[in-house]
Amino acid sequence: MKKFFKQFFLLLLVILVLIQFFKPEKNINTTPSDKYISTAINVPENVNAILIKSCADCHSNNTQYPWYANTQPIAWWLNDHIEEGKAELNIDSFANYSLRRQYRKFEEIMDQVEEDEMPLSSYTLIHRNAKLSEVDRKVLIDWAKDTRLMMKQKYPADSLIKKK
């Protein structure tokens, strides 16, 4: 029995070493995006600072990776979160979104920030500075509400809301 556990742990160690050679491509783009959210919508400096501090690692094309992101299987897990986050909202390609999608994203921002679903608690557990203060939450929610109101006044309703 002892020999079995020894062999099992040796095999596990070999697997852990081998998977270190299979890393996902990192989400790093140092070229500023010409489709950044502020090219489509007014983003005040204080809001932009919050977006960068609390949202950009998972919702942009430029993630700031921590030291442990070079270790497998953690890198795969992080990559999955980043890809999922960018699929939901990518502030670096926001200007490419249709007006309808932009309008809907602001509603989702309001809802998720209001319900304290974003940023993810698993993220803020390690990245303490990304946790939104009550003031930050209010700033983001008010900005999203004001932006939706501005869009509603500026664009025809059928370009913002899908008819049922």
Side-chain angles (χ1 to χ4, degrees):
M1 190 69 156
K2 208 174 192 184
K3 185 176 179 181
F4 169 77
F5 283 118
K6 207 175 200 182
Q7 288 175 339
F8 175 76
F9 286 115
L10 184 60
L11 178 64
L12 187 61
L13 181 63
V14 167
I15 290 171
L16 283 173
V17 169
L18 286 177
I19 66 173
Q20 300 311 308
F21 295 101
F22 301 96
K23 298 181 188 242
E25 186 177 336
K26 288 198 173 185
N27 184 47
I28 298 175
N29 183 359
T30 55
T31 308
S33 173
D34 61 346
K35 302 298 181 189
Y36 189 73
I37 191 169
S38 62
T39 62
I41 298 293
N42 178 38
V43 181
E45 259 187 63
N46 62 334
V47 171
N48 195 49
I50 295 168
L51 291 175
I52 291 169
K53 174 187 77 150
S54 299
C55 310
D57 272 352
C58 295
H59 295 284
S60 79
N61 295 332
N62 195 19
T63 300
Q64 302 297 315
Y65 286 92
W67 64 269
Y68 54 83
N70 294 314
T71 306
Q72 300 304 357
I74 295 170
W76 292 328
W77 180 70
L78 290 174
N79 187 62
D80 184 55
H81 274 278
I82 293 164
E83 292 301 316
E84 195 175 305
K86 285 172 53 176
E88 281 299 317
L89 171 69
N90 187 337
I91 60 177
D92 279 332
S93 62
F94 190 86
N96 285 335
Y97 294 175
S98 68
L99 287 174
R100 185 174 289 138
R101 186 171 183 204
Q102 289 178 9
Y103 190 73
R104 189 175 71 249
K105 289 300 165 188
F106 284 110
E107 182 177 19
E108 291 172 10
I109 289 169
M110 288 181 337
D111 291 346
Q112 297 213 345
V113 171
E114 237 168 15
E115 294 168 14
D116 204 20
E117 292 178 7
M118 283 290 152
L120 294 174
S121 56
S122 60
Y123 180 76
T124 58
L125 186 65
I126 296 170
H127 302 89
R128 292 279 204 222
N129 64 326
K131 188 152 179 62
L132 294 173
S133 69
E134 285 304 314
V135 172
D136 290 345
R137 290 164 42 101
K138 182 172 178 7
V139 166
L140 279 180
I141 292 166
D142 289 349
W143 169 69
K145 281 181 184 175
D146 292 347
T147 302
R148 280 177 55 88
L149 182 61
M150 179 277 304
M151 291 177 80
K152 209 172 189 177
Q153 293 169 347
K154 186 175 178 179
Y155 302 109
D158 63 343
S159 65
L160 301 175
I161 301 169
K162 192 174 186 175
K163 291 183 181 179
K164 293 181 181 182

